[in-house]
Amino acid sequence: MKASHFLISTLKEAPADAEIVSHQLMTRAGMIKKLGAGVYSYMPMGLRVIRKVEAIVREEMNRAGAIEVTMPVVQPAEAWQETGRFNKMGPELLRFQDRHGRDFVIQPTSEEVVTDIARQEFKSYKQLPKNLYQIQTKFRDERRPRFGLMRGREFTMKDAYSFDKDRDSAQASYQTMRDAYQRIFDRFGLQYRAVRADSGAIGGDLSEEFQVIAATGEDAIVYCPNSDYAANIEKAESLAPAGPRPAASEALEKIATPGNSTCQAVADQLGLPLARTIKSLVLATDEVNEAGEIVKTQVWLLLLRGDHDMNEVKVNKVDGLANFRFASLAEIQDHFGCEPGYLGPLNLQKPVKLVVDREVAVMADWICGANEKDFHIRGVNFGRDLPEPALVADLRNVVAGDPSPDGQGPLAIERGIEIGHVFYLGTKYSEAMNATFLADNGKPTHFEMGCYGIGITRLPAAAIEQNHDERGIIWPDAIAPFTVVLCPIGMDRSELVKQAAEKLYADLLALGVDVILDDRGERPGAMFADWELIGVPHRVVLGDRGLKEGLVEYQHRRDAAATPVPLADVVAQLKTRLGL
Amino acid sequence: MKASHFLISTLKEAPADAEIVSHQLMTRAGMIKKLGAGVYSYMPMGLRVIRKVEAIVREEMNRAGAIEVTMPVVQPAEAWQETGRFNKMGPELLRFQDRHGRDFVIQPTSEEVVTDIARQEFKSYKQLPKNLYQIQTKFRDERRPRFGLMRGREFTMKDAYSFDKDRDSAQASYQTMRDAYQRIFDRFGLQYRAVRADSGAIGGDLSEEFQVIAATGEDAIVYCPNSDYAANIEKAESLAPAGPRPAASEALEKIATPGNSTCQAVADQLGLPLARTIKSLVLATDEVNEAGEIVKTQVWLLLLRGDHDMNEVKVNKVDGLANFRFASLAEIQDHFGCEPGYLGPLNLQKPVKLVVDREVAVMADWICGANEKDFHIRGVNFGRDLPEPALVADLRNVVAGDPSPDGQGPLAIERGIEIGHVFYLGTKYSEAMNATFLADNGKPTHFEMGCYGIGITRLPAAAIEQNHDERGIIWPDAIAPFTVVLCPIGMDRSELVKQAAEKLYADLLALGVDVILDDRGERPGAMFADWELIGVPHRVVLGDRGLKEGLVEYQHRRDAAATPVPLADVVAQLKTRLGL
C-alpha cells in the first residue's frame, strides 16, 4: 500500500470522552470514529487490524474442525421466547418491533438460533460432534457505553457452539476449543492467561476466560506463580483457614468510637491490626409471587474480616442468597436500630439470618459495631457472646499471599481484559428448546452443548492497553495494520531516495510483507510521529545522506534509537525479524 | 475439505413458501435456512459462495483504489434527520429506540454516515478524490419479503461512495467504478448487461444498473442487438413517431359494446387491430398544506394506445404529475359520469387535465369509451372532435420492435435481475449535510458524490436463476461453493479407491484447487444427486472397476454424460479446465 492511496488521519488530541489509553490512541491514530454512544465506524487503519484478528481466528477455528455459518443480526423473538431469555434478559437485549408489530431482537449472542439449526440438522448421533461458528455483528444496549471498542454497544464477536452426544464428548470438544484458543492467543503475540471463571447468567458448570494482561484491565486475575493455577477473582477460592479457632481471651467491652464508622478508623483508634475487626454487610432477599409482588423479605447479616472484600459471585451461590440485594436504610434501621458504620451481630432489634465468612468463623476476640451510633464492641467471641455460626461459607475475594487452592504456594494478583471465554453449557439450551438427536440406543437425547466467544473488535483495544508508550501504540506483528513502514525523506527532491524506496517497497511486497510506503511528502518529524502513534512495529527510514553511503535506518517500535543498516542487507534483516 | 468434516444437508422437497427456483434450490441444497420472514442464516455451503462473491468484489474495489471501512449496522437518527430521510423514507427504514429512548435506524444504505465521515476527514481538495466502501449487513423492512435471498429483509451489500472536487472528476470516479463493476461481473462468470436506469428516490442524474440476465427476472431490460444501447424499461425512451398524423377519414359514431370493457374486447368485437383503440387512465394529484391536509385535487386523463402499457417513472416526470396516484372510483364517477371500462375524453361531466402519449398524438380515427356504460365511440380525431392535445409526452413502456433511441435498429427485450447499481449523486447529500472541503480557490465547496452498490447475498440467487436445470444448480467456477468434487465409490471397501481418492485430493489441494472429497460413504445415486443439486461444476468419480484399468470419470455439471479419463491425466485435464 502507498500512503497516498490510503486514508491516514491522525489527531494531536484525544476526544474528551476517551477515558482509557486504547480509546484515546485508537481515535488519535484514526482507527475508529465515533458515530454515537458506543457505536463506531471502523476506519481503514482500524479495519486492517480487525481483519487480521478475524483471519487468525477463522484459520484456527477451521483447523479445529469448526464450520462457519452466519446467523442473522436481526432475529425474530420466537426462539428467544422458547428459552425465556426474551423476557429474562435486561434492557441490554435490544428489542424492537417490525412494521407489522412483530417482536425482534438484535443478537447479543446466538445460542437460540444455533440450537434451532442443530435440532433441524443433526438428527443422529452419527452426525456428532459438530461445532458451528460465526464472526458477526452483535449489539448490547449497554446502559453506559464507554471506553471505545472496550465496552461498545455494536461490536463483532466470534461465537462458536459445539453439539455433542454425551458429556465426555462435550468435554473433549471443550478441550479442542480451549487448545484452539491457546493457538489463537499465541499467534496474536499478546501476554495472556487462561483463567477459571464463573459461568454467570449463561449457565453451565465449566468455564474459562482468556484474559489479556494489562494494568488497566477491569478484571482481577488470581494466579499461582509456581503452578498453572489461574482464575478470575470472581471464581478463585479462598481456602478454609488451616488451624482451629483460638480460645477467647478478652472480655466483651463496649467502646466509644465517635465518628469512626469504618473498620480502618476503629483499628487505627485502638492501635490494632485491621484484621482484628469485622465488617458487617446487610443484604436482603425478596420472595415474589406470580404477579411480581414481593410477599416476603429476609434480611441477612454478612460478616467479613475488616481487611477483606465481599465476592458477589460467591455470595450469590450461598443457599437462599441467589439474587440478593443490599438492604435499604429503612430495613437496616428496622433490624439494627442503628445506621450503617456501627453495625454488628449483637443487640439486634429484629432477628436476621447470619452468614459468616470462613475466615471470620475461626477468629477470636474480634471487634464489631455495637448497633449504636459512635460505639463498637471488642472481645467478641462465637460460642460465648453469640451462638456458633450456623452458616459458614467462602464469601470473600482472595488477596495476594493467600494460599493457592492447588497447594503450590501463595497466590499473586494481576489485572486483565477478558477477550475470550469458553463455556461448557450442558443441556441448558437443548432442554429449553427440546433440541434432540437420536442416540445410538435409538432414543431422542438432548444435545450436550458448549459455547465459545472471542471479542474480535475488543481485541485491538486490549492489545493497545498492553502495548503502548507515551508516543502511541506498539502493535505485535501479527495484528499490526501494516508490518513495515518505509519512510523516505525528501522523496520528491532526491532521485536516489525515490528509487531506493520504490525498489525496497517492491521487494518487500514480492515477499508478501504487508508494507506501507509513506509517499505523502510529510516532513520527517510529522511522519515519524504519525507512525509511532499508529504503532507499525518495523520502520525503515531512507535518506539521501545515508543512501550515498549505502545505508538506511531500521528501528523497531520498541527500540530507543535507529540502527544503520546497509541497504543491501535490509531485506534479509527484515526477513529474519519477521520470521520469513 | 472432506465432506465428513463439513455440513451437507440436502432436501428432496422445497419449502412451500419458495416461489422461485433460486429460493427452492438454495434451500434444498442446504445453503440457507429461514429464521423468519425475509431473515435467513447462511449455512456453510451458502456462506462459501457468499465469501467468494465478497472476495472478488473486495479485490476489484481495492484495485480501483477504493478504501474499505465498516460503518455501523445500528445508526443514530441524527444524520438521517439532517438529510430528512429519517422522516421521508417509508416503513422499509427500520426505526427503533434504545433503552434511553433515543432514535436509531438499522442501515439500509449509508449515505448519511459516509458523508459525515467525509466532512470530518477530507478538508482539502488535495485529499480528493476518495472512495470509501464497505461490505456490510443491511436491513430493509420489506412489506412482503419473499423469494429467499432475492428480496430478503436482512442482506449484505457492498456500498461504495466517491467524493470528488468537481463534476468532471466525479464523472471520472463514476467511470472508474463502472469499469470495476464490469471486471467484477466478468469474473463472476455470469451473463449480464449494464443498462441505463432511473435514479429513483436516491436522487442524482446519471445511473446505470448491472442486470444478470434471467428469464425469471423482475426487471425488463430493453436493448438494441446491433449496438450497446441498453436500458431498464423504466428508463428506455420510446422515440416520437416519425410521420405526421393521417387525416381523419371516419365519422364519429357511438357504438354499443355491451360487456366489452377492455380495449381487446372492443377491438375483437369490431374486428379491428388493438392498436386502433385508446386506453383511458384516470390519475389524480393532491395539493397538500403544511398540516398535511389536502387542499386541492387535480384529476388527469391519460391516453395510451390500447396495446401499450403506462410507464410510471415517465408519468412521474410529467410536469404536475410527480407523486400522482390513481383516481378513486368516486372521483372517476364525478368527472366522467361513468364507471371504468367505458371512459374517454369526450362528453365529460367535469373538466380534467388531458395528457397524451406521443404515439396517440399522431393517431387518427381512434376508438375510445363513450363515458356511458356499454358504449364506445369510434372515428375520434384530434382537432375535429376534441382540441389538439396541449400536453404530449412519452408515457409508455417501449415494446420489442420499437426503434432504438440510437437509431441502430429495432429494440429487443429480455428479463434481468438487478445486482449492481452505479449512481452519480451530485451534491444532494453534501448540500443537505453541509459537507464541504476547501477548493483550490480557498472556498468551502460541496463534495460531488457518487454511490455504487452490489447485492452480495442477492448475487448467488441471481446466478442460480440464470444457471440451473431440473437436477439443481450449475455454478460458474468463480463462485461455486467448491470447484471440484471427488466422488469415490465404495471407499470403505476398496483400498484402491481409497488411495486414489486421497492422493487426487491431496494433489488438487496442493495446486490450490477448492476441492471437496465426499467421504460420507453415501450410495452413488444419492451422492451424485446431492452434488448435482448443490451444483459443483466439476466432478470426478473414482470406482474400483475403472481404477483397475487406470481410469476415472470426469463430468462437468453441464455435460450430459461422464467421460473416462486416465487417472494419470486427470490433474492435468482439471488444470486446463480451471485455467491454472
Side-chain angles (χ1 to χ4, degrees), chain A residues 1-2 5 48 482-484 486 501-517 571 574-575 578 580:
Chain A
M1 180 67 71
K2 291 189 176 181
H5 298 151
R48 289 183 75 88
F482 296 96
T483 319
V484 177
L486 304 183
E502 294 279 7
K503 178 166 190 314
L504 182 52
Y505 175 66
D507 288 348
L508 291 173
L509 275 189
L511 284 171
V513 174
D514 190 14
V515 56
I516 184 162
L517 169 61
V571 170
L574 281 170
K575 277 177 73 170
L578 303 177
L580 297 176

PDB file of all heavy atoms in Angstrom, chain A residues 1-2 5 48 482-484 486 501-517 571 574-575 578 580:
ATOM      1  N   MET A   1       0.855  -1.200   0.000  1.00  0.00           N
ATOM      2  CA  MET A   1       0.000   0.000   0.000  1.00  0.00           C
ATOM      3  C   MET A   1       0.883   1.238   0.000  1.00  0.00           C
ATOM      4  O   MET A   1       1.897   1.273   0.679  1.00  0.00           O
ATOM      5  CB  MET A   1      -0.873  -0.029   1.263  1.00  0.00           C
ATOM      6  CG  MET A   1      -1.804   1.140   1.418  1.00  0.00           C
ATOM      7  SD  MET A   1      -3.127   1.220   0.173  1.00  0.00           S
ATOM      8  CE  MET A   1      -4.148  -0.172   0.691  1.00  0.00           C
ATOM      9  N   LYS A   2       0.466   2.207  -0.784  1.00  0.00           N
ATOM     10  CA  LYS A   2       1.129   3.500  -0.694  1.00  0.00           C
ATOM     11  C   LYS A   2       0.226   4.439   0.105  1.00  0.00           C
ATOM     12  O   LYS A   2      -0.999   4.448  -0.086  1.00  0.00           O
ATOM     13  CB  LYS A   2       1.381   4.072  -2.086  1.00  0.00           C
ATOM     14  CG  LYS A   2       2.432   3.261  -2.845  1.00  0.00           C
ATOM     15  CD  LYS A   2       2.856   3.932  -4.128  1.00  0.00           C
ATOM     16  CE  LYS A   2       3.969   3.107  -4.774  1.00  0.00           C
ATOM     17  NZ  LYS A   2       4.450   3.713  -6.024  1.00  0.00           N
ATOM     18  N   HIS A   5      -2.562   6.462  -1.363  1.00  0.00           N
ATOM     19  CA  HIS A   5      -3.797   5.785  -1.785  1.00  0.00           C
ATOM     20  C   HIS A   5      -4.628   5.323  -0.601  1.00  0.00           C
ATOM     21  O   HIS A   5      -5.609   4.605  -0.780  1.00  0.00           O
ATOM     22  CB  HIS A   5      -3.462   4.570  -2.665  1.00  0.00           C
ATOM     23  CG  HIS A   5      -2.759   4.939  -3.917  1.00  0.00           C
ATOM     24  ND1 HIS A   5      -1.882   4.108  -4.559  1.00  0.00           N
ATOM     25  CD2 HIS A   5      -2.776   6.080  -4.645  1.00  0.00           C
ATOM     26  CE1 HIS A   5      -1.388   4.708  -5.627  1.00  0.00           C
ATOM     27  NE2 HIS A   5      -1.921   5.907  -5.693  1.00  0.00           N
ATOM     28  N   ARG A  48      -8.041  -2.762   9.127  1.00  0.00           N
ATOM     29  CA  ARG A  48      -6.947  -3.692   8.783  1.00  0.00           C
ATOM     30  C   ARG A  48      -6.588  -4.570   9.978  1.00  0.00           C
ATOM     31  O   ARG A  48      -6.307  -5.760   9.828  1.00  0.00           O
ATOM     32  CB  ARG A  48      -5.712  -2.926   8.309  1.00  0.00           C
ATOM     33  CG  ARG A  48      -5.881  -2.276   6.939  1.00  0.00           C
ATOM     34  CD  ARG A  48      -4.590  -1.589   6.513  1.00  0.00           C
ATOM     35  NE  ARG A  48      -3.587  -2.533   6.088  1.00  0.00           N
ATOM     36  CZ  ARG A  48      -3.467  -2.983   4.839  1.00  0.00           C
ATOM     37  NH1 ARG A  48      -4.291  -2.564   3.906  1.00  0.00           N
ATOM     38  NH2 ARG A  48      -2.532  -3.847   4.527  1.00  0.00           N
ATOM     39  N   PHE A 482      -0.085  -2.384   9.429  1.00  0.00           N
ATOM     40  CA  PHE A 482       0.965  -2.712   8.463  1.00  0.00           C
ATOM     41  C   PHE A 482       2.133  -3.253   9.276  1.00  0.00           C
ATOM     42  O   PHE A 482       2.358  -2.820  10.404  1.00  0.00           O
ATOM     43  CB  PHE A 482       1.402  -1.469   7.670  1.00  0.00           C
ATOM     44  CG  PHE A 482       0.303  -0.903   6.815  1.00  0.00           C
ATOM     45  CD1 PHE A 482      -0.475   0.149   7.284  1.00  0.00           C
ATOM     46  CD2 PHE A 482       0.027  -1.431   5.561  1.00  0.00           C
ATOM     47  CE1 PHE A 482      -1.510   0.668   6.511  1.00  0.00           C
ATOM     48  CE2 PHE A 482      -1.005  -0.915   4.785  1.00  0.00           C
ATOM     49  CZ  PHE A 482      -1.767   0.131   5.259  1.00  0.00           C
ATOM     50  N   THR A 483       2.890  -4.174   8.708  1.00  0.00           N
ATOM     51  CA  THR A 483       4.004  -4.761   9.454  1.00  0.00           C
ATOM     52  C   THR A 483       5.230  -3.855   9.368  1.00  0.00           C
ATOM     53  O   THR A 483       5.971  -3.709  10.333  1.00  0.00           O
ATOM     54  CB  THR A 483       4.343  -6.156   8.891  1.00  0.00           C
ATOM     55  OG1 THR A 483       3.126  -6.843   8.607  1.00  0.00           O
ATOM     56  CG2 THR A 483       5.150  -6.967   9.885  1.00  0.00           C
ATOM     57  N   VAL A 484       5.435  -3.281   8.200  1.00  0.00           N
ATOM     58  CA  VAL A 484       6.627  -2.463   7.960  1.00  0.00           C
ATOM     59  C   VAL A 484       6.190  -1.140   7.346  1.00  0.00           C
ATOM     60  O   VAL A 484       5.319  -1.131   6.459  1.00  0.00           O
ATOM     61  CB  VAL A 484       7.594  -3.179   6.976  1.00  0.00           C
ATOM     62  CG1 VAL A 484       8.802  -2.289   6.668  1.00  0.00           C
ATOM     63  CG2 VAL A 484       8.040  -4.531   7.531  1.00  0.00           C
ATOM     64  N   LEU A 486       7.867   2.195   5.337  1.00  0.00           N
ATOM     65  CA  LEU A 486       9.047   2.801   4.723  1.00  0.00           C
ATOM     66  C   LEU A 486       8.861   4.311   4.737  1.00  0.00           C
ATOM     67  O   LEU A 486       7.855   4.820   4.221  1.00  0.00           O
ATOM     68  CB  LEU A 486       9.219   2.320   3.281  1.00  0.00           C
ATOM     69  CG  LEU A 486       9.289   0.805   3.084  1.00  0.00           C
ATOM     70  CD1 LEU A 486       9.546   0.475   1.610  1.00  0.00           C
ATOM     71  CD2 LEU A 486      10.363   0.190   3.967  1.00  0.00           C
ATOM     72  N   ALA A 501      13.516   3.704  -2.286  1.00  0.00           N
ATOM     73  CA  ALA A 501      12.254   3.442  -1.583  1.00  0.00           C
ATOM     74  C   ALA A 501      11.337   2.573  -2.439  1.00  0.00           C
ATOM     75  O   ALA A 501      10.757   1.587  -1.959  1.00  0.00           O
ATOM     76  CB  ALA A 501      11.574   4.761  -1.227  1.00  0.00           C
ATOM     77  N   GLU A 502      11.216   2.928  -3.719  1.00  0.00           N
ATOM     78  CA  GLU A 502      10.329   2.159  -4.597  1.00  0.00           C
ATOM     79  C   GLU A 502      10.823   0.727  -4.758  1.00  0.00           C
ATOM     80  O   GLU A 502      10.033  -0.222  -4.777  1.00  0.00           O
ATOM     81  CB  GLU A 502      10.229   2.828  -5.979  1.00  0.00           C
ATOM     82  CG  GLU A 502       9.537   4.197  -5.981  1.00  0.00           C
ATOM     83  CD  GLU A 502       8.005   4.100  -5.984  1.00  0.00           C
ATOM     84  OE1 GLU A 502       7.476   2.980  -5.849  1.00  0.00           O
ATOM     85  OE2 GLU A 502       7.351   5.151  -6.094  1.00  0.00           O
ATOM     86  N   LYS A 503      12.148   0.553  -4.835  1.00  0.00           N
ATOM     87  CA  LYS A 503      12.683  -0.800  -5.013  1.00  0.00           C
ATOM     88  C   LYS A 503      12.477  -1.629  -3.741  1.00  0.00           C
ATOM     89  O   LYS A 503      12.052  -2.789  -3.810  1.00  0.00           O
ATOM     90  CB  LYS A 503      14.161  -0.755  -5.380  1.00  0.00           C
ATOM     91  CG  LYS A 503      14.756  -2.159  -5.520  1.00  0.00           C
ATOM     92  CD  LYS A 503      16.101  -2.179  -6.198  1.00  0.00           C
ATOM     93  CE  LYS A 503      16.529  -3.621  -6.520  1.00  0.00           C
ATOM     94  NZ  LYS A 503      16.332  -4.566  -5.425  1.00  0.00           N
ATOM     95  N   LEU A 504      12.771  -1.013  -2.595  1.00  0.00           N
ATOM     96  CA  LEU A 504      12.592  -1.741  -1.337  1.00  0.00           C
ATOM     97  C   LEU A 504      11.124  -2.114  -1.152  1.00  0.00           C
ATOM     98  O   LEU A 504      10.779  -3.235  -0.738  1.00  0.00           O
ATOM     99  CB  LEU A 504      13.093  -0.876  -0.168  1.00  0.00           C
ATOM    100  CG  LEU A 504      13.028  -1.493   1.227  1.00  0.00           C
ATOM    101  CD1 LEU A 504      13.689  -2.863   1.280  1.00  0.00           C
ATOM    102  CD2 LEU A 504      13.668  -0.552   2.248  1.00  0.00           C
ATOM    103  N   TYR A 505      10.238  -1.170  -1.490  1.00  0.00           N
ATOM    104  CA  TYR A 505       8.787  -1.415  -1.405  1.00  0.00           C
ATOM    105  C   TYR A 505       8.403  -2.611  -2.278  1.00  0.00           C
ATOM    106  O   TYR A 505       7.734  -3.554  -1.825  1.00  0.00           O
ATOM    107  CB  TYR A 505       8.060  -0.142  -1.841  1.00  0.00           C
ATOM    108  CG  TYR A 505       6.562  -0.249  -1.923  1.00  0.00           C
ATOM    109  CD1 TYR A 505       5.789  -0.458  -0.778  1.00  0.00           C
ATOM    110  CD2 TYR A 505       5.900  -0.106  -3.143  1.00  0.00           C
ATOM    111  CE1 TYR A 505       4.416  -0.532  -0.854  1.00  0.00           C
ATOM    112  CE2 TYR A 505       4.517  -0.185  -3.221  1.00  0.00           C
ATOM    113  CZ  TYR A 505       3.780  -0.396  -2.081  1.00  0.00           C
ATOM    114  OH  TYR A 505       2.413  -0.471  -2.157  1.00  0.00           O
ATOM    115  N   ALA A 506       8.883  -2.610  -3.509  1.00  0.00           N
ATOM    116  CA  ALA A 506       8.547  -3.703  -4.433  1.00  0.00           C
ATOM    117  C   ALA A 506       9.121  -5.030  -3.941  1.00  0.00           C
ATOM    118  O   ALA A 506       8.456  -6.074  -3.998  1.00  0.00           O
ATOM    119  CB  ALA A 506       9.055  -3.380  -5.839  1.00  0.00           C
ATOM    120  N   ASP A 507      10.359  -4.998  -3.417  1.00  0.00           N
ATOM    121  CA  ASP A 507      10.986  -6.241  -2.936  1.00  0.00           C
ATOM    122  C   ASP A 507      10.203  -6.828  -1.762  1.00  0.00           C
ATOM    123  O   ASP A 507      10.010  -8.046  -1.677  1.00  0.00           O
ATOM    124  CB  ASP A 507      12.430  -5.967  -2.488  1.00  0.00           C
ATOM    125  CG  ASP A 507      13.350  -5.698  -3.682  1.00  0.00           C
ATOM    126  OD1 ASP A 507      12.926  -5.941  -4.832  1.00  0.00           O
ATOM    127  OD2 ASP A 507      14.490  -5.231  -3.451  1.00  0.00           O
ATOM    128  N   LEU A 508       9.776  -5.954  -0.859  1.00  0.00           N
ATOM    129  CA  LEU A 508       9.044  -6.447   0.316  1.00  0.00           C
ATOM    130  C   LEU A 508       7.653  -6.959  -0.085  1.00  0.00           C
ATOM    131  O   LEU A 508       7.206  -8.001   0.407  1.00  0.00           O
ATOM    132  CB  LEU A 508       8.937  -5.346   1.381  1.00  0.00           C
ATOM    133  CG  LEU A 508      10.271  -4.984   2.051  1.00  0.00           C
ATOM    134  CD1 LEU A 508      10.099  -3.766   2.965  1.00  0.00           C
ATOM    135  CD2 LEU A 508      10.819  -6.169   2.853  1.00  0.00           C
ATOM    136  N   LEU A 509       6.984  -6.241  -0.963  1.00  0.00           N
ATOM    137  CA  LEU A 509       5.683  -6.716  -1.462  1.00  0.00           C
ATOM    138  C   LEU A 509       5.824  -8.100  -2.083  1.00  0.00           C
ATOM    139  O   LEU A 509       4.992  -8.986  -1.851  1.00  0.00           O
ATOM    140  CB  LEU A 509       5.137  -5.762  -2.525  1.00  0.00           C
ATOM    141  CG  LEU A 509       4.343  -4.542  -2.085  1.00  0.00           C
ATOM    142  CD1 LEU A 509       3.725  -3.863  -3.305  1.00  0.00           C
ATOM    143  CD2 LEU A 509       3.247  -4.901  -1.074  1.00  0.00           C
ATOM    144  N   ALA A 510       6.909  -8.277  -2.861  1.00  0.00           N
ATOM    145  CA  ALA A 510       7.109  -9.567  -3.546  1.00  0.00           C
ATOM    146  C   ALA A 510       7.293 -10.696  -2.533  1.00  0.00           C
ATOM    147  O   ALA A 510       6.968 -11.849  -2.812  1.00  0.00           O
ATOM    148  CB  ALA A 510       8.321  -9.476  -4.479  1.00  0.00           C
ATOM    149  N   LEU A 511       7.806 -10.366  -1.357  1.00  0.00           N
ATOM    150  CA  LEU A 511       7.966 -11.368  -0.291  1.00  0.00           C
ATOM    151  C   LEU A 511       6.671 -11.597   0.479  1.00  0.00           C
ATOM    152  O   LEU A 511       6.632 -12.395   1.417  1.00  0.00           O
ATOM    153  CB  LEU A 511       9.041 -10.917   0.697  1.00  0.00           C
ATOM    154  CG  LEU A 511      10.487 -11.068   0.249  1.00  0.00           C
ATOM    155  CD1 LEU A 511      11.404 -10.365   1.246  1.00  0.00           C
ATOM    156  CD2 LEU A 511      10.845 -12.556   0.156  1.00  0.00           C
ATOM    157  N   GLY A 512       5.630 -10.835   0.138  1.00  0.00           N
ATOM    158  CA  GLY A 512       4.361 -10.976   0.859  1.00  0.00           C
ATOM    159  C   GLY A 512       4.329 -10.177   2.151  1.00  0.00           C
ATOM    160  O   GLY A 512       3.466 -10.416   3.006  1.00  0.00           O
ATOM    161  N   VAL A 513       5.259  -9.226   2.301  1.00  0.00           N
ATOM    162  CA  VAL A 513       5.271  -8.403   3.520  1.00  0.00           C
ATOM    163  C   VAL A 513       4.185  -7.329   3.397  1.00  0.00           C
ATOM    164  O   VAL A 513       4.007  -6.722   2.339  1.00  0.00           O
ATOM    165  CB  VAL A 513       6.650  -7.739   3.724  1.00  0.00           C
ATOM    166  CG1 VAL A 513       6.620  -6.779   4.909  1.00  0.00           C
ATOM    167  CG2 VAL A 513       7.710  -8.807   3.913  1.00  0.00           C
ATOM    168  N   ASP A 514       3.445  -7.107   4.481  1.00  0.00           N
ATOM    169  CA  ASP A 514       2.406  -6.083   4.497  1.00  0.00           C
ATOM    170  C   ASP A 514       3.070  -4.736   4.799  1.00  0.00           C
ATOM    171  O   ASP A 514       3.181  -4.309   5.941  1.00  0.00           O
ATOM    172  CB  ASP A 514       1.372  -6.440   5.562  1.00  0.00           C
ATOM    173  CG  ASP A 514       0.137  -5.560   5.478  1.00  0.00           C
ATOM    174  OD1 ASP A 514      -0.030  -4.867   4.456  1.00  0.00           O
ATOM    175  OD2 ASP A 514      -0.645  -5.573   6.435  1.00  0.00           O
ATOM    176  N   VAL A 515       3.534  -4.084   3.735  1.00  0.00           N
ATOM    177  CA  VAL A 515       4.366  -2.885   3.869  1.00  0.00           C
ATOM    178  C   VAL A 515       3.597  -1.670   3.363  1.00  0.00           C
ATOM    179  O   VAL A 515       2.818  -1.758   2.418  1.00  0.00           O
ATOM    180  CB  VAL A 515       5.684  -3.063   3.074  1.00  0.00           C
ATOM    181  CG1 VAL A 515       5.431  -3.394   1.623  1.00  0.00           C
ATOM    182  CG2 VAL A 515       6.578  -1.839   3.206  1.00  0.00           C
ATOM    183  N   ILE A 516       3.814  -0.525   4.013  1.00  0.00           N
ATOM    184  CA  ILE A 516       3.253   0.728   3.506  1.00  0.00           C
ATOM    185  C   ILE A 516       4.405   1.694   3.236  1.00  0.00           C
ATOM    186  O   ILE A 516       5.343   1.797   4.047  1.00  0.00           O
ATOM    187  CB  ILE A 516       2.209   1.342   4.463  1.00  0.00           C
ATOM    188  CG1 ILE A 516       1.587   2.612   3.827  1.00  0.00           C
ATOM    189  CG2 ILE A 516       2.770   1.650   5.852  1.00  0.00           C
ATOM    190  CD1 ILE A 516       0.274   3.050   4.457  1.00  0.00           C
ATOM    191  N   LEU A 517       4.347   2.320   2.075  1.00  0.00           N
ATOM    192  CA  LEU A 517       5.351   3.311   1.691  1.00  0.00           C
ATOM    193  C   LEU A 517       4.736   4.694   1.905  1.00  0.00           C
ATOM    194  O   LEU A 517       3.718   5.027   1.297  1.00  0.00           O
ATOM    195  CB  LEU A 517       5.723   3.118   0.214  1.00  0.00           C
ATOM    196  CG  LEU A 517       6.563   4.225  -0.433  1.00  0.00           C
ATOM    197  CD1 LEU A 517       7.921   4.381   0.259  1.00  0.00           C
ATOM    198  CD2 LEU A 517       6.771   3.924  -1.922  1.00  0.00           C
ATOM    199  N   VAL A 571      16.579  -6.125   3.419  1.00  0.00           N
ATOM    200  CA  VAL A 571      15.542  -7.130   3.157  1.00  0.00           C
ATOM    201  C   VAL A 571      15.830  -8.408   3.946  1.00  0.00           C
ATOM    202  O   VAL A 571      14.947  -8.969   4.597  1.00  0.00           O
ATOM    203  CB  VAL A 571      15.434  -7.419   1.647  1.00  0.00           C
ATOM    204  CG1 VAL A 571      14.533  -8.629   1.398  1.00  0.00           C
ATOM    205  CG2 VAL A 571      14.883  -6.204   0.906  1.00  0.00           C
ATOM    206  N   LEU A 574      15.086  -7.849   7.598  1.00  0.00           N
ATOM    207  CA  LEU A 574      13.641  -7.839   7.864  1.00  0.00           C
ATOM    208  C   LEU A 574      13.070  -9.253   7.798  1.00  0.00           C
ATOM    209  O   LEU A 574      12.230  -9.637   8.605  1.00  0.00           O
ATOM    210  CB  LEU A 574      12.914  -6.915   6.870  1.00  0.00           C
ATOM    211  CG  LEU A 574      13.005  -5.430   7.204  1.00  0.00           C
ATOM    212  CD1 LEU A 574      12.480  -4.585   6.044  1.00  0.00           C
ATOM    213  CD2 LEU A 574      12.222  -5.089   8.476  1.00  0.00           C
ATOM    214  N   LYS A 575      13.552 -10.030   6.824  1.00  0.00           N
ATOM    215  CA  LYS A 575      13.078 -11.418   6.717  1.00  0.00           C
ATOM    216  C   LYS A 575      13.311 -12.160   8.026  1.00  0.00           C
ATOM    217  O   LYS A 575      12.442 -12.884   8.515  1.00  0.00           O
ATOM    218  CB  LYS A 575      13.788 -12.150   5.572  1.00  0.00           C
ATOM    219  CG  LYS A 575      13.150 -11.891   4.212  1.00  0.00           C
ATOM    220  CD  LYS A 575      13.904 -12.572   3.086  1.00  0.00           C
ATOM    221  CE  LYS A 575      13.713 -14.083   3.052  1.00  0.00           C
ATOM    222  NZ  LYS A 575      14.272 -14.664   1.815  1.00  0.00           N
ATOM    223  N   LEU A 578      10.978 -10.850  10.747  1.00  0.00           N
ATOM    224  CA  LEU A 578       9.566 -11.203  10.536  1.00  0.00           C
ATOM    225  C   LEU A 578       9.359 -12.712  10.498  1.00  0.00           C
ATOM    226  O   LEU A 578       8.241 -13.187  10.318  1.00  0.00           O
ATOM    227  CB  LEU A 578       9.045 -10.572   9.237  1.00  0.00           C
ATOM    228  CG  LEU A 578       9.163  -9.047   9.148  1.00  0.00           C
ATOM    229  CD1 LEU A 578       8.671  -8.548   7.790  1.00  0.00           C
ATOM    230  CD2 LEU A 578       8.372  -8.374  10.262  1.00  0.00           C
ATOM    231  N   LEU A 580      10.389 -14.839   8.204  1.00  0.00           N
ATOM    232  CA  LEU A 580      10.024 -15.309   6.850  1.00  0.00           C
ATOM    233  C   LEU A 580      11.062 -16.273   6.303  1.00  0.00           C
ATOM    234  O   LEU A 580      12.212 -16.234   6.677  1.00  0.00           O
ATOM    235  CB  LEU A 580       9.878 -14.112   5.901  1.00  0.00           C
ATOM    236  CG  LEU A 580       8.782 -13.126   6.250  1.00  0.00           C
ATOM    237  CD1 LEU A 580       8.798 -11.946   5.300  1.00  0.00           C
ATOM    238  CD2 LEU A 580       7.424 -13.815   6.191  1.00  0.00           C
TER     239      LEU A 580
END
